[in-house]
């Protein structure tokens, strides 16, 4: 625990343990999440879901529901003929018209005086279905003659009768494809001394935000929409909701109460949001819709499940030669961001290590399963799992230890990869060396391996895995920027208005730190406003580990403009050259000596109440210097890249299959530590989320139906199960990063499963190709009874 | 409609009377009838601990307890806890040690932590991990929550010893 920073003495805030500004309020139970907000006159909404996997809707009878006292509206697709499809491929109508493709599908919705009445009304709605054949795996969906999920075009008829095709028919169930290539894999294979090929299966997991999904929608008398939303992308949603409703985006105001966990789950619009808006429009009352936990499991997105075939090779000296990857993504019934995770997967495949020849082909395929969204790591957990398994296998094949083998192929600063990524700062080799050293990796790796065949049924193992992820935003949208408005009042109190949303990760505290650092003010002098699109300047959203980097640079830009204005005023007032002046401890000071001339508040008052009558208010928009990828997916997509190596040490009970994660030793290239307390929290939380992915979490989907929609049967890691965690920060001081920092939000979750798989192999000599490593799965594998994943895909 | 029950209990030190439907949970009563929204719904079946409160000095999942069963009892919620010296120690420790990220699980864990502080002074780290195993947190990985309770244990011991 560090001592409190003494801003009065001009100490820096950077790198210190700065408590989150919102912590006291949250720890008092006073923070009002969306669940805690109630508007006067508000109605409560509930959604009727299909419950059947794949069917034609024959009839819907809502008459009894409408007649129930306390019910204000019951709607089906027929009541909102103007609804438009949502999602990444615009293949998903909020209320289903004639067909359901998944048990979660929305058939009808009720707004009533209470949630109980709405619930009772749902039970009175009678729907008859005509079942259709079900497709529950991506491989089956690709077979000739497989039932088609979106075989017909999706059309929309405007009120004036104009007809538009919104989603073209998919004749083969393929929702999206990505193909990437560099070099010549055939040549790479010919140059190889060793080649390995395996198939991996990465399973379904889901975000499990502690705060369930929810929304409150209301229209004012002029038909402007006010939306209380948990979104991570308020400005993008504004535009999408406007399109959906056929109204001007300027009429939509998105207010973001503090959210009970995001992790990428809130990057897309889901049907419940438009449905609440429809009900608010029809009833002309505020409508609140909150999920139950069961609904959260059934109807919020999953991590993308992936079947992955990897073929890789190296020379006798350990130099990687080629990598060929084929993947099949189970898209589920509709297309959300999960389908686009190949953007990130291919970065790991092409550029985590130097691989001259590389090919990556993937298809996201429609099935009747739950549909996948974006989730912390965004495909990188899946790609890293396979790539790092092969790094160990190749190392073993050429007789090198895992650390040396990786060091031979690791990226270095200055590298521009064939995919076009430019690693201006890169601490990858330090990450590898530091994690290996601090975990005593080489010694343990040899020692544990020597005990494979001894009589002790408890085996230990160490395994390592590394990761590359964007650390300076990701240029996916037309702009990857963020705006800041800064105002300093007459008492030197600072209001930092930023487009960047706080989702629990601590962004408001880091942004306040960065601004205080420029202006020499204490954190207590800052109020952060970040939750209202009518007030805050544009930001692309909380994703891609970008907020500290992009919003941080934006905040610094605004602070520097304010500083220049204050110093210019001070120079005029004091009749001193501006170069001699600085800001520290709430005062204008002489640089060098630190002598105090005037308090900042007093100076601002004199500026305000003068003939010139000026306020100190500045704005800044920061656009990171990165590139959009071209059609071949090449380009320097991020302004900086983050690196990490994690070593997992496990104990495997070979009699039960129980894998205990004893320790994670992580080394993270974070550019620079801004808030030590916050960054430790991000990394610890990410590691335990990765531990859940590796060992306990499994959303069981059988024939399109989620079988375990509760915390009783979907097992999150609990406090007694966490590993000891040792984190080293590699500070590479990125030239573009705010105070040298790079993004870190997703990084810690990415390597864990891959490292644990390698550790289980080091403990037992058995390699597992499918997640999760539950006792049952591990036991079967140890007994040689596991069926490894197979690639049976029609090409 | 369903039958109702008139109940009386002490809530955060204040005598409280309320009429509730027989089937209402204590969690619903706190949130919807008494406007005490610091106690959170996150699963409704006793698996996550976000709704933890103290009843007659014992922590319970308020989603699993009928409101009617509060009759004659002494309830403490997060709102009452933070007004007490123990609550103040915990809140300060949770904030200072980074135990709070999204904060949704925090009130429930604070309630469980006050139970630990009152009942098991001088806990080892492993004991603290066991003590909060019924509380799920998706953000922090628990490390800083355990740090916070451990520090609060020391502070509370020191203050009681003084």
């Amino acid at each position: 625990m560090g001592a409190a920073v003494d801003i009065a003495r001009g100490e820096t805030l950077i790198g210190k343990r700065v408590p989150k500004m919102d912590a006291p309020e949250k720890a008092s139970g006073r923070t009002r999440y969306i669940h805690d907000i109630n508007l006067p006159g508000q109605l409560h909404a509930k959604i009727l879901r299909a419950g059947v996997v794949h069917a034609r809707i024959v009839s819907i009878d809502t008459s009894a529901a409408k007649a129930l006292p306390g019910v204000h509206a019951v709607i089906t697709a027929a009541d909102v003929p103007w609804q438009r499809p949502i999602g990444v491929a615009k293949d998903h109508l909020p209320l289903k018209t004639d067909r359901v493709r998944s048990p979660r599908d929305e058939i009808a919705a009720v707004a009533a005086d209470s949630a109980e009445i709405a619930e009772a009304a749902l039970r009175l709605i009678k729907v008859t279905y005509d079942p259709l054949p079900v497709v529950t795996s991506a491989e089956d969906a690709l077979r000739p003659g497989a039932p088609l999920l979106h075989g017909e075009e999706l059309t929309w008829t405007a009120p004036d009768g104009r007809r538009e095709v919104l989603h073209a028919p998919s004749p083969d169930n393929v929702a999206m494809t990505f193909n990437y290539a560099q070099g010549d894999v055939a040549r790479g294979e010919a140059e190889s001394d060793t080649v390995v090929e395996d198939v991996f299966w990465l399973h379904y997991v889901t975000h499990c935000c502690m705060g369930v999904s929810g929304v409150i929608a209301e229209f004012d008398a002029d038909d402007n929409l006010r939306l209380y939303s948990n979104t991570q992308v308020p400005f993008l949603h504004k535009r999408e909701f406007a399109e959906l409703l056929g109204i001007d985006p300027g009429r939509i105001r998105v207010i973001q109460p503090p959210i009970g966990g995001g992790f990428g789950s809130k990057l897309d619009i889901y049907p419940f949001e438009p449905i609440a808006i429809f009900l608010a429009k029809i009833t002309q009352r505020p409508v609140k819709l909150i999920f139950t936990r069961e609904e959260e499991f059934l109807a919020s997105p999953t991590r993308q499940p992936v079947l992955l075939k990897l073929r890789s090779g190296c020379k006798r000296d350990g130099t990687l030669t080629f990598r060929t990857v084929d993947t099949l993504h189970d898209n589920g019934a509709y297309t959300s961001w999960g389908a686009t995770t190949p953007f990130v997967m291919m970065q790991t495949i092409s550029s985590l290590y130097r691989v001259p020849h590389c090919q990556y082909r993937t298809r996201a395929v429609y099935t009747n399963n739950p549909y996948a969204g974006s989730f912390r790591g965004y495909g990188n957990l899946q790609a890293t799992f396979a790539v790092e398994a092969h790094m160990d296998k190749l190392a073993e094949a050429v007789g090198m230890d895992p650390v040396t083998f990786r060091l031979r192929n690791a990226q270095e600063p200055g590298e521009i990869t064939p995919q076009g990524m430019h690693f201006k700062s890169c601490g990858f080799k330090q990450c590898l060396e530091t994690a290996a050293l601090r975990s005593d990796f080489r010694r343990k790796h040899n020692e544990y391996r020597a005990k494979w065949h001894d009589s002790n049924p408890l085996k230990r193992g160490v395994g390592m895995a590394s990761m590359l992820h964007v650390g300076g935003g990701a240029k996916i949208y037309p702009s990857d920027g963020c705006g800041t408005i800064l105002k300093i009042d007459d008492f030197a109190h600072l209001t930092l208005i930023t487009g960047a949303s706080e989702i629990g990760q601590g962004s408001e505290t880091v942004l306040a730190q960065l601004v205080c650092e420029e202006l020499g003010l204490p954190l207590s002098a800052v109020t952060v406003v970040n939750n209202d699109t009518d007030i805050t300047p544009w930001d692309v959203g909380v994703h891609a580990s970008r907020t500290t980097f992009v919003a941080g640079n934006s905040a610094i830009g605004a602070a520097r403009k304010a500083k220049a204005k204050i110093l210019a005023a001070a120079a005029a007032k004091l009749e001193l050259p501006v170069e001699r002046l600085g800001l520290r401890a709430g005062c204008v000071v002489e640089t060098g000596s630190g002598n105090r001339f005037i308090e900042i508040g007093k100076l601002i008052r004199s500026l305000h109440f003068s003939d010139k009558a000026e306020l100190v208010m500045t704005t800044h928009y920061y656009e990171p210097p990165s590139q959009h990828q071209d059609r071949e997916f090449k380009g320097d997509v991020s302004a900086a890249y983050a690196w990490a190596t994690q070593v997992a040490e496990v104990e495997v009970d070979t009699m039960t299959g129980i894998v205990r994660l004893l320790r994670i030793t992580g080394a993270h290239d974070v550019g620079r530590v801004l808030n030590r307390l916050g960054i430790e929290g991000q990394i610890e939380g990410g590691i335990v989320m990765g531990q859940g992915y590796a060992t306990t979490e499994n959303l069981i989907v059988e024939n399109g139906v989620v079988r375990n929609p509760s915390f009783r049967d979907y097992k999150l890691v609990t406090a007694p199960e966490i590993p000891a965690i040792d984190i080293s920060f590699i500070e590479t001081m990125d030239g573009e990063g705010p105070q040298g920092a790079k993004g870190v939000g997703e990084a810690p979750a990415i390597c864990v499963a891959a490292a644990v798989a390698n550790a289980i192999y080091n403990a037992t000599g058995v390699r597992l190709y499918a997640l999760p490593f539950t006792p049952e799965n591990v036991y079967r594998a140890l007994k040689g009874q596991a069926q490894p994943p197979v690639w049976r895909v029609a090409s | 409609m369903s039958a109702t029950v008139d109940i009386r209990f002490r809530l955060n030190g204040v005598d409280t009377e309320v009429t509730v439907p027989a089937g209402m949970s204590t969690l619903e009563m706190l949130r919807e009838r008494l406007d005490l929204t610091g106690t959170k719904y996150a699963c409704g079946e006793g698996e996550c601990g976000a709704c933890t409160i103290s009843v007659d000095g014992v922590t319970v999942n308020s989603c699993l307890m009928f409101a009617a069963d509060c009759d004659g009892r002494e309830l403490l919620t997060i709102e009452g806890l933070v007004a007490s010296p123990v609550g103040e120690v915990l809140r300060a420790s949770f904030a200072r040690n980074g135990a709070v990220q999204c904060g949704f699980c925090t009130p429930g864990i604070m309630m469980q932590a006050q139970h630990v502080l009152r009942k098991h002074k001088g806990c080892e780290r492993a004991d603290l991990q066991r003590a909060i195993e019924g509380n799920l947190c998706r953000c922090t990985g628990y490390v800083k929550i355990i740090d916070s309770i451990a520090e609060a244990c020391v502070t509370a011991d020191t203050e009681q010893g003084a």
Side-chain angles (χ1 to χ4, degrees):
Chain A
M1 214 157 318
V5 178
D6 188 352
I7 193 80
R9 287 168 49 196
E11 289 180 14
T12 180
L13 285 163
I14 303 302
K16 297 288 165 40
R17 307 181 74 81
V18 182
K20 284 185 79 213
M21 293 163 77
D22 57 2
E25 191 84 349
K26 284 176 169 174
S28 305
R30 284 192 189 142
T31 299
R32 287 190 201 102
Y33 299 87
I34 198 154
H35 323 84
D36 307 324
I37 295 171
N38 292 299
L39 301 182
Q42 151 191 297
L43 300 175
H44 298 264
K46 288 282 174 188
I47 292 170
L48 180 70
R49 299 179 185 281
V52 297
V53 181
H54 196 191
R56 292 259 167 224
I57 303 169
V58 177
S59 67
I60 309 176
D61 179 359
T62 59
S63 53
K66 281 178 174 158
L68 187 70
V71 169
H72 291 255
V74 183
I75 59 167
T76 67
D79 298 295
V80 285
W82 38 271
Q83 68 168 336
R84 293 173 75 105
I86 57 174
V88 171
K90 300 284 177 277
D91 57 4
H92 191 190
L93 283 170
L95 283 163
K96 311 307 179 261
T97 49
D98 57 347
R99 183 165 168 193
V100 299
R101 296 174 175 85
S102 181
R104 50 145 298 147
D105 275 11
E106 296 77 5
I107 304 300
V110 175
D113 286 331
S114 71
E116 292 69 33
I117 295 171
E119 199 70 70
L122 292 187
R123 290 193 288 273
L124 298 174
I125 299 172
K126 294 188 187 70
V127 190
T128 53
Y129 297 102
D130 191 3
L132 292 166
V134 164
V135 190
T136 57
S137 80
E139 293 136 291
D140 287 349
L142 288 177
R143 293 215 167 92
L148 296 180
L149 269 287
H150 293 268
E152 300 133 33
E153 64 184 13
L154 180 57
T155 61
W156 181 75
T157 309
D160 62 7
R162 184 171 44 89
R163 196 165 156 276
E164 277 179 49
V165 176
L166 296 173
H167 187 252
S170 162
D172 51 6
N173 284 325
V174 175
M176 235 178 237
T177 59
F178 291 84
N179 294 303
Y180 171 79
Q182 67 191 37
D184 174 357
V185 287
R187 192 179 130 206
E189 180 149 0
E191 289 169 3
S192 304
D193 296 311
T194 296
V195 173
V196 286
E197 179 176 308
D198 290 292
V199 180
F200 301 84
W201 165 248
L202 295 310
H203 65 315
Y204 280 102
V205 293
T206 186
H207 306 72
C208 297
C209 302
M210 292 309 293
V212 288
S213 299
V215 66
I216 305 173
E218 68 171 333
F219 286 87
D220 71 10
D222 292 322
D223 226 17
N224 296 307
L225 171 63
R226 184 156 47 222
L227 202 65
Y228 295 81
S229 164
N230 278 342
T231 180
Q232 294 178 229
V233 286
F235 292 93
L236 298 181
H237 275 197
K238 228 173 111 141
R239 205 196 62 211
E240 285 195 46
F241 280 123
E243 194 178 299
L244 178 81
L245 297 165
I247 64 174
D248 173 0
R251 300 176 80 98
I252 298 175
R253 178 178 183 184
V254 180
I255 296 169
Q256 300 165 271
I259 85 174
F263 316 115
S265 63
K266 294 157 173 77
L267 289 185
D268 204 356
I269 289 181
Y270 304 108
F272 77 92
E273 293 159 313
I275 286 170
I277 295 170
F278 299 158
L279 287 166
K281 176 110 178 149
I282 286 166
T283 61
Q284 287 296 304
R285 300 264 293 264
V287 169
K288 179 175 181 177
L289 194 158
I290 303 286
F291 277 14
T292 61
R293 176 56 62 184
E294 183 183 21
E295 210 171 9
E296 187 78 11
F297 272 106
L298 297 175
S300 57
T302 70
R303 191 183 288 288
Q304 186 79 58
V306 176
L307 186 70
L308 188 155
K309 183 171 70 168
L310 173 62
R311 188 171 173 82
S312 18
C314 69
K315 294 183 184 168
R316 208 165 287 115
D317 67 358
T319 311
L320 292 173
T321 46
F322 81 101
R323 193 175 276 154
T324 308
V325 188
D326 281 285
T327 74
L328 209 54
H329 292 211
D330 188 332
N331 204 43
Y334 304 99
T335 307
S336 182
W337 289 116
T340 70
T341 51
F343 277 121
V344 172
M345 296 179 76
M346 67 175 75
Q347 293 171 7
T348 292
I349 288 160
S350 77
S351 302
L352 169 59
Y353 298 99
R354 291 192 307 273
V355 194
H357 309 289
C358 193
Q359 184 172 298
Y360 173 60
R361 293 174 299 214
T362 187
R363 281 170 286 178
V365 182
Y366 286 122
T367 68
N368 292 114
N369 288 329
Y371 70 92
S374 44
F375 192 168
R376 190 183 203 173
Y378 210 90
N380 210 348
L381 286 76
Q382 296 94 317
T384 300
F385 185 82
V387 164
E388 287 291 344
H390 268 199
M391 292 303 284
D392 263 25
K393 286 186 89 159
L394 290 170
E396 188 178 18
V398 297
M400 290 173 79
D401 79 82
V403 190
T404 310
F405 184 76
R406 284 173 172 82
L407 282 168
R408 170 147 304 191
N409 294 288
Q411 299 287 2
E412 291 179 338
E415 184 84 18
I416 298 174
T417 77
Q419 209 190 337
M421 286 179 269
H422 184 186
F423 301 139
K424 293 176 256 318
S425 68
C426 172
F428 186 16
K429 288 191 169 177
Q430 295 100 297
C431 289
L432 278 164
E433 281 160 350
T434 305
L437 192 69
R438 290 189 65 90
S439 62
D440 199 5
F441 180 87
R442 284 185 169 101
R443 184 185 68 77
K444 286 183 174 175
H445 194 257
N446 287 332
E447 196 175 288
Y448 293 150
R449 193 190 163 97
K451 292 181 181 170
W452 282 359
H453 303 294
D454 75 10
S455 59
N456 188 348
L458 291 177
K459 306 286 185 194
R460 285 203 175 189
V462 286
M464 72 162 34
S466 299
M467 74 99 223
L468 153 70
H469 205 75
V470 292
K475 200 150 283 182
I476 305 298
Y477 299 95
S479 166
D480 189 33
C482 175
T484 303
I485 302 169
L486 198 61
K487 89 180 164 91
I488 311 181
D489 75 7
D490 292 351
F491 310 98
H493 190 87
L494 208 147
T495 306
L496 170 63
I497 306 171
T498 174
S501 307
E502 165 74 43
I503 65 167
Q505 84 281 43
S507 66
E508 64 187 24
T509 307
V510 161
L511 298 180
Q513 272 181 268
L514 290 169
V515 166
C516 288
E517 191 70 13
E518 295 295 327
L519 295 171
L521 291 168
L523 275 180
S524 58
V526 185
T527 301
V528 181
V529 176
N530 53 8
N531 58 0
D532 185 339
T533 56
D534 270 9
I535 297 169
T536 56
W538 195 87
D539 175 65
V540 80
V542 184
H543 71 108
S545 305
R546 66 183 281 284
T547 298
T548 292
F549 193 97
V550 179
N553 273 326
S554 176
I556 288 174
R560 287 189 178 153
K561 288 176 185 171
K563 183 177 182 177
K565 186 160 187 176
I566 293 166
L567 291 182
K573 191 178 178 75
L574 300 166
E575 298 181 344
L576 287 169
V578 76
E579 301 76 43
R580 278 182 57 195
L581 302 177
L583 300 177
R584 198 191 298 171
C587 291
V588 177
V589 299
E590 184 175 38
T591 50
S593 75
N595 286 340
R596 295 174 187 200
F597 291 121
I598 186 169
E599 284 176 19
I600 295 174
K602 196 170 177 186
L603 180 75
I604 291 176
R605 284 195 294 280
S606 73
L607 197 61
H608 181 183
F609 303 110
S610 70
D611 294 345
K612 285 168 73 185
E614 273 193 83
L615 298 177
V616 179
M617 290 194 290
T618 61
T619 66
H620 190 72
Y621 188 76
Y622 174 76
E623 180 69 43
S626 47
Q627 301 169 343
H628 289 101
Q629 289 179 337
D630 63 18
R631 282 158 175 250
E632 295 181 332
F633 302 109
K634 291 177 180 169
D636 193 19
V637 73
S638 184
Y641 297 88
W643 304 87
T645 300
Q646 290 177 352
V647 171
E649 182 163 3
V650 302
E651 183 180 78
V652 183
D653 182 340
T654 55
M655 293 189 296
T656 62
I658 291 173
V659 176
R660 279 179 59 215
L661 182 54
L662 303 175
R663 176 176 288 272
I664 291 281
T665 308
H668 284 253
D669 170 9
V670 299
R672 186 181 185 190
V673 174
L674 298 180
N675 181 351
R676 193 164 295 272
L677 194 64
I679 201 168
E680 285 176 3
Q682 281 296 296
I683 292 180
E684 289 157 2
I687 285 170
V688 173
M689 192 173 263
Q691 178 187 10
Y693 185 60
T695 60
T696 68
E697 294 179 42
N698 186 15
L699 192 74
I700 301 167
V701 182
E702 285 176 2
N703 296 321
V705 178
V706 174
R707 292 294 183 196
N708 56 340
S710 77
F711 284 139
R712 191 175 49 244
D713 299 320
Y714 183 100
K715 178 91 178 54
L716 291 183
V717 172
T718 61
E721 298 164 300
I722 62 169
I725 294 174
D726 177 278
I727 306 165
S728 300
F729 296 107
I730 309 299
E731 298 194 278
T732 48
M733 297 300 289
D734 187 82
E736 182 64 22
Q739 296 279 355
K742 300 194 275 194
V744 73
E746 296 167 278
I750 290 167
C751 307
V752 182
V756 169
N758 287 341
I760 292 172
Y761 178 78
N762 181 235
T764 64
V766 175
R767 179 161 290 282
L768 282 83
Y769 296 93
L771 284 170
F773 304 142
T774 55
E776 191 182 0
N777 289 346
V778 173
Y779 185 81
R780 282 211 183 101
L782 293 175
K783 298 295 166 195
Q785 289 169 4
Q787 300 201 328
V790 186
W791 185 264
R792 278 186 298 247
V793 182
S795 55
Chain B
M1 291 302 280
S2 57
T4 58
V5 189
D6 299 327
I7 53 173
R8 289 179 181 196
F9 51 93
R10 270 182 86 75
L11 174 60
N12 298 329
V14 178
D15 288 324
T16 304
E17 290 186 29
V18 58
T19 302
V20 292
M24 181 176 255
S25 72
T26 303
L27 173 63
E28 290 169 307
M29 174 183 74
L30 292 171
R31 290 183 56 81
E32 289 161 27
R33 288 298 175 82
L34 301 167
D35 274 342
L36 293 175
T37 55
T39 306
K40 300 300 180 195
Y41 164 87
C43 78
E45 54 182 19
E47 289 291 335
C48 76
C51 67
T52 303
I53 62 167
S54 173
V55 178
D56 290 345
V58 177
T59 43
V60 300
N61 289 309
S62 63
C63 69
L64 293 183
M65 182 176 174
F66 284 119
D69 287 336
C70 293
D71 193 40
R73 297 181 188 266
E74 175 114 24
L75 271 61
L76 180 72
T77 70
I78 184 70
E79 290 86 355
L81 172 63
V82 293
S84 73
V86 168
E88 185 50 47
V89 166
L90 279 168
R91 179 172 58 184
S93 184
F94 270 53
R96 187 168 51 243
N97 292 294
V100 181
Q101 287 188 30
C102 89
F104 206 83
C105 70
T106 309
I109 297 184
M110 292 265 292
M111 290 306 299
Q112 187 61 20
Q114 64 82 31
H115 181 76
V116 174
L117 257 60
R118 284 179 213 269
K119 303 290 173 190
H120 315 277
K121 280 194 228 40
C123 282
E124 295 297 320
R125 225 177 147 80
D127 296 328
L128 297 178
Q129 287 174 263
R130 297 296 293 184
I132 59 161
E133 70 179 340
N135 294 80
L136 298 178
C137 169
R138 191 54 153 165
C139 297
T140 65
Y142 304 103
V143 178
K144 302 222 175 302
I145 295 172
I146 299 158
D147 292 346
S148 301
I149 303 174
E151 189 192 286
C153 280
V154 174
T155 312
D157 276 355
T158 312
E159 284 181 2
Q160 293 209 339

